[in-house]
Tab-separated table of all heavy atoms in Angstrom:
chain	number	residue	atom	x	y	z
J	1	HIS	N	-0.782	-6.917	9.211
J	1	HIS	CA	-1.025	-8.157	9.942
J	1	HIS	C	-2.221	-8.960	9.451
J	1	HIS	O	-2.270	-10.170	9.666
J	1	HIS	CB	-1.194	-7.865	11.440
J	1	HIS	CG	0.072	-7.446	12.115
J	1	HIS	ND1	1.069	-8.338	12.443
J	1	HIS	CD2	0.517	-6.223	12.509
J	1	HIS	CE1	2.068	-7.694	13.017
J	1	HIS	NE2	1.756	-6.402	13.068
J	2	TYR	N	-3.189	-8.302	8.815
J	2	TYR	CA	-4.440	-8.998	8.528
J	2	TYR	C	-4.858	-9.002	7.056
J	2	TYR	O	-5.660	-9.836	6.657
J	2	TYR	CB	-5.565	-8.415	9.394
J	2	TYR	CG	-5.363	-8.746	10.862
J	2	TYR	CD1	-4.807	-7.823	11.737
J	2	TYR	CD2	-5.698	-10.006	11.336
J	2	TYR	CE1	-4.591	-8.144	13.067
J	2	TYR	CE2	-5.494	-10.337	12.664
J	2	TYR	CZ	-4.933	-9.404	13.530
J	2	TYR	OH	-4.714	-9.739	14.846
J	3	ASP	N	-4.338	-8.100	6.245
J	3	ASP	CA	-4.697	-8.111	4.819
J	3	ASP	C	-3.665	-8.922	4.055
J	3	ASP	O	-2.908	-8.410	3.235
J	3	ASP	CB	-4.787	-6.683	4.284
J	3	ASP	CG	-5.242	-6.639	2.832
J	3	ASP	OD1	-5.837	-7.632	2.354
J	3	ASP	OD2	-5.010	-5.609	2.175
J	4	THR	N	-3.656	-10.216	4.303
J	4	THR	CA	-2.631	-11.100	3.742
J	4	THR	C	-2.627	-11.116	2.223
J	4	THR	O	-1.571	-11.214	1.595
J	4	THR	CB	-2.845	-12.536	4.254
J	4	THR	OG1	-2.995	-12.506	5.669
J	4	THR	CG2	-1.678	-13.426	3.884
J	5	LEU	N	-3.791	-11.026	1.627
J	5	LEU	CA	-3.893	-11.099	0.174
J	5	LEU	C	-3.667	-9.748	-0.501
J	5	LEU	O	-3.788	-9.643	-1.726
J	5	LEU	CB	-5.270	-11.653	-0.221
J	5	LEU	CG	-5.588	-13.057	0.285
J	5	LEU	CD1	-7.006	-13.464	-0.113
J	5	LEU	CD2	-4.577	-14.069	-0.239
J	6	ARG	N	-3.350	-8.751	0.301
J	6	ARG	CA	-3.095	-7.400	-0.236
J	6	ARG	C	-4.273	-6.891	-1.055
J	6	ARG	O	-4.103	-6.351	-2.149
J	6	ARG	CB	-1.829	-7.388	-1.087
J	6	ARG	CG	-0.569	-7.840	-0.365
J	6	ARG	CD	-0.105	-6.876	0.694
J	6	ARG	NE	1.214	-7.218	1.207
J	6	ARG	CZ	1.807	-6.608	2.229
J	6	ARG	NH1	1.177	-5.630	2.849
J	6	ARG	NH2	3.000	-6.974	2.619
J	7	LYS	N	-5.461	-7.061	-0.508
J	7	LYS	CA	-6.651	-6.570	-1.179
J	7	LYS	C	-6.806	-5.059	-1.063
J	7	LYS	O	-7.420	-4.415	-1.920
J	7	LYS	CB	-7.897	-7.246	-0.592
J	7	LYS	CG	-8.002	-8.743	-0.834
J	7	LYS	CD	-8.308	-9.036	-2.290
J	7	LYS	CE	-8.593	-10.512	-2.487
J	7	LYS	NZ	-8.926	-10.821	-3.907
J	8	PHE	N	-6.254	-4.481	0.007
J	8	PHE	CA	-6.514	-3.080	0.295
J	8	PHE	C	-5.238	-2.257	0.491
J	8	PHE	O	-5.300	-1.101	0.923
J	8	PHE	CB	-7.398	-2.965	1.545
J	8	PHE	CG	-8.657	-3.765	1.437
J	8	PHE	CD1	-8.811	-4.941	2.160
J	8	PHE	CD2	-9.685	-3.374	0.577
J	8	PHE	CE1	-9.975	-5.696	2.051
J	8	PHE	CE2	-10.852	-4.123	0.466
J	8	PHE	CZ	-10.995	-5.281	1.208
J	9	ALA	N	-4.093	-2.847	0.196
J	9	ALA	CA	-2.817	-2.141	0.291
J	9	ALA	C	-1.864	-2.759	-0.725
J	9	ALA	O	-2.141	-3.823	-1.285
J	9	ALA	CB	-2.249	-2.223	1.709
J	10	PHE	N	-0.749	-2.091	-0.950
J	10	PHE	CA	0.208	-2.532	-1.959
J	10	PHE	C	1.446	-3.098	-1.288
J	10	PHE	O	1.966	-2.525	-0.327
J	10	PHE	CB	0.598	-1.364	-2.869
J	10	PHE	CG	-0.571	-0.727	-3.570
J	10	PHE	CD1	-1.169	0.415	-3.050
J	10	PHE	CD2	-1.080	-1.275	-4.738
J	10	PHE	CE1	-2.251	1.005	-3.685
J	10	PHE	CE2	-2.164	-0.702	-5.375
J	10	PHE	CZ	-2.751	0.450	-4.850
J	11	ASP	N	1.933	-4.207	-1.813
J	11	ASP	CA	3.144	-4.825	-1.289
J	11	ASP	C	4.330	-3.883	-1.543
J	11	ASP	O	4.614	-3.543	-2.698
J	11	ASP	CB	3.366	-6.165	-1.996
J	11	ASP	CG	4.500	-6.962	-1.385
J	11	ASP	OD1	5.554	-6.376	-1.076
J	11	ASP	OD2	4.336	-8.186	-1.218
J	12	PRO	N	5.029	-3.452	-0.489
J	12	PRO	CA	6.122	-2.501	-0.692
J	12	PRO	C	7.287	-3.073	-1.487
J	12	PRO	O	8.065	-2.310	-2.071
J	12	PRO	CB	6.547	-2.147	0.741
J	12	PRO	CG	6.065	-3.292	1.575
J	12	PRO	CD	4.816	-3.781	0.921
J	13	ASP	N	7.422	-4.392	-1.522
J	13	ASP	CA	8.506	-5.014	-2.289
J	13	ASP	C	8.090	-5.255	-3.735
J	13	ASP	O	8.848	-4.954	-4.661
J	13	ASP	CB	8.921	-6.336	-1.640
J	13	ASP	CG	9.508	-6.140	-0.249
J	13	ASP	OD1	10.264	-5.167	-0.066
J	13	ASP	OD2	9.194	-6.938	0.642
J	14	ALA	N	6.905	-5.779	-3.934
J	14	ALA	CA	6.450	-6.112	-5.284
J	14	ALA	C	5.933	-4.899	-6.048
J	14	ALA	O	6.043	-4.843	-7.276
J	14	ALA	CB	5.374	-7.192	-5.218
J	15	ARG	N	5.361	-3.937	-5.316
J	15	ARG	CA	4.760	-2.762	-5.971
J	15	ARG	C	5.174	-1.493	-5.219
J	15	ARG	O	4.351	-0.782	-4.654
J	15	ARG	CB	3.241	-2.920	-6.002
J	15	ARG	CG	2.783	-4.191	-6.688
J	15	ARG	CD	1.300	-4.485	-6.510
J	15	ARG	NE	0.453	-3.585	-7.295
J	15	ARG	CZ	-0.873	-3.684	-7.331
J	15	ARG	NH1	-1.491	-4.623	-6.633
J	15	ARG	NH2	-1.581	-2.844	-8.056
J	16	PRO	N	6.479	-1.210	-5.197
J	16	PRO	CA	6.987	-0.119	-4.366
J	16	PRO	C	6.449	1.263	-4.738
J	16	PRO	O	6.207	2.090	-3.852
J	16	PRO	CB	8.504	-0.190	-4.554
J	16	PRO	CG	8.694	-0.887	-5.869
J	16	PRO	CD	7.568	-1.876	-5.945
J	17	ASP	N	6.265	1.534	-6.026
J	17	ASP	CA	5.783	2.855	-6.422
J	17	ASP	C	4.340	3.066	-5.985
J	17	ASP	O	3.973	4.142	-5.489
J	17	ASP	CB	5.904	3.037	-7.937
J	17	ASP	CG	7.349	3.121	-8.400
J	17	ASP	OD1	8.248	3.217	-7.539
J	17	ASP	OD2	7.581	3.074	-9.622
J	18	GLU	N	3.516	2.043	-6.158
J	18	GLU	CA	2.119	2.157	-5.758
J	18	GLU	C	1.993	2.221	-4.235
J	18	GLU	O	1.138	2.937	-3.700
J	18	GLU	CB	1.312	0.990	-6.324
J	18	GLU	CG	1.161	1.060	-7.834
J	18	GLU	CD	0.701	-0.251	-8.437
J	18	GLU	OE1	1.451	-1.241	-8.364
J	18	GLU	OE2	-0.425	-0.271	-8.979
J	19	HIS	N	2.858	1.492	-3.550
J	19	HIS	CA	2.890	1.576	-2.084
J	19	HIS	C	3.228	2.994	-1.647
J	19	HIS	O	2.609	3.545	-0.724
J	19	HIS	CB	3.924	0.592	-1.533
J	19	HIS	CG	4.088	0.653	-0.052
J	19	HIS	ND1	3.183	0.118	0.829
J	19	HIS	CD2	5.066	1.214	0.711
J	19	HIS	CE1	3.589	0.314	2.066
J	19	HIS	NE2	4.731	0.981	2.012
J	20	SER	N	4.204	3.599	-2.317
J	20	SER	CA	4.577	4.977	-1.989
J	20	SER	C	3.434	5.947	-2.271
J	20	SER	O	3.162	6.855	-1.473
J	20	SER	CB	5.822	5.386	-2.782
J	20	SER	OG	6.164	6.732	-2.511
J	21	GLU	N	2.758	5.762	-3.401
J	21	GLU	CA	1.598	6.607	-3.699
J	21	GLU	C	0.542	6.500	-2.596
J	21	GLU	O	-0.035	7.507	-2.175
J	21	GLU	CB	0.969	6.198	-5.029
J	21	GLU	CG	1.722	6.621	-6.260
J	21	GLU	CD	0.995	6.242	-7.545
J	21	GLU	OE1	0.010	5.469	-7.478
J	21	GLU	OE2	1.422	6.718	-8.614
J	22	MET	N	0.297	5.290	-2.164
J	22	MET	CA	-0.686	5.078	-1.100
J	22	MET	C	-0.307	5.856	0.159
J	22	MET	O	-1.137	6.551	0.757
J	22	MET	CB	-0.780	3.578	-0.788
J	22	MET	CG	-1.767	3.218	0.306
J	22	MET	SD	-1.666	1.442	0.722
J	22	MET	CE	-0.152	1.424	1.706
J	23	LEU	N	0.965	5.761	0.544
J	23	LEU	CA	1.425	6.484	1.731
J	23	LEU	C	1.327	7.995	1.533
J	23	LEU	O	0.933	8.726	2.453
J	23	LEU	CB	2.865	6.094	2.060
J	23	LEU	CG	3.104	4.651	2.503
J	23	LEU	CD1	4.587	4.441	2.785
J	23	LEU	CD2	2.273	4.295	3.732
J	24	GLN	N	1.676	8.463	0.347
J	24	GLN	CA	1.620	9.905	0.090
J	24	GLN	C	0.208	10.447	0.270
J	24	GLN	O	0.004	11.493	0.898
J	24	GLN	CB	2.120	10.193	-1.325
J	24	GLN	CG	3.616	9.960	-1.515
J	24	GLN	CD	4.012	10.061	-2.970
J	24	GLN	OE1	3.742	11.052	-3.636
J	24	GLN	NE2	4.681	9.026	-3.485
J	25	TRP	N	-0.783	9.728	-0.260
J	25	TRP	CA	-2.154	10.227	-0.154
J	25	TRP	C	-2.731	10.022	1.233
J	25	TRP	O	-3.572	10.816	1.683
J	25	TRP	CB	-3.026	9.606	-1.248
J	25	TRP	CG	-2.682	10.209	-2.570
J	25	TRP	CD1	-1.933	9.659	-3.571
J	25	TRP	CD2	-3.004	11.533	-3.006
J	25	TRP	NE1	-1.780	10.548	-4.605
J	25	TRP	CE2	-2.433	11.710	-4.286
J	25	TRP	CE3	-3.726	12.595	-2.448
J	25	TRP	CZ2	-2.560	12.900	-5.017
J	25	TRP	CZ3	-3.859	13.773	-3.157
J	25	TRP	CH2	-3.274	13.911	-4.426
J	26	MET	N	-2.231	9.033	1.948
J	26	MET	CA	-2.624	8.903	3.350
J	26	MET	C	-2.091	10.077	4.164
J	26	MET	O	-2.819	10.690	4.955
J	26	MET	CB	-2.108	7.585	3.929
J	26	MET	CG	-2.810	6.354	3.395
J	26	MET	SD	-2.205	4.806	4.121
J	26	MET	CE	-2.877	4.943	5.787
J	27	PHE	N	-0.821	10.414	3.949
J	27	PHE	CA	-0.227	11.510	4.711
J	27	PHE	C	-0.815	12.859	4.301
J	27	PHE	O	-0.935	13.770	5.122
J	27	PHE	CB	1.295	11.514	4.540
J	27	PHE	CG	1.982	10.297	5.106
J	27	PHE	CD1	3.297	10.006	4.773
J	27	PHE	CD2	1.316	9.424	5.950
J	27	PHE	CE1	3.929	8.891	5.290
J	27	PHE	CE2	1.940	8.302	6.472
J	27	PHE	CZ	3.263	8.034	6.144
J	28	PHE	N	-1.198	12.978	3.035
J	28	PHE	CA	-1.875	14.184	2.571
J	28	PHE	C	-3.165	14.401	3.367
J	28	PHE	O	-3.462	15.514	3.821
J	28	PHE	CB	-2.189	14.054	1.085
J	28	PHE	CG	-3.166	15.059	0.554
J	28	PHE	CD1	-2.760	16.352	0.245
J	28	PHE	CD2	-4.506	14.719	0.378
J	28	PHE	CE1	-3.676	17.286	-0.240
J	28	PHE	CE2	-5.418	15.641	-0.112
J	28	PHE	CZ	-5.001	16.933	-0.409
């Protein structure tokens, strides 16, 4: 809702693999 420029997260559509990596390490 607030990181519109995607400074701190990865766009799941434009960068799906990096988004998945982010989720994996969060869940880890």
Side-chain angles (χ1 to χ4, degrees):
H1 290 284
Y2 292 99
D3 184 20
T4 310
L5 299 177
R6 302 291 190 186
K7 294 289 188 179
F8 306 107
F10 302 97
D11 188 317
D13 296 320
R15 303 170 73 178
D17 291 351
E18 291 165 295
H19 177 76
S20 178
E21 285 183 349
M22 180 186 76
L23 294 180
Q24 291 172 54
W25 287 103
M26 290 181 71
F27 295 165
F28 166 80

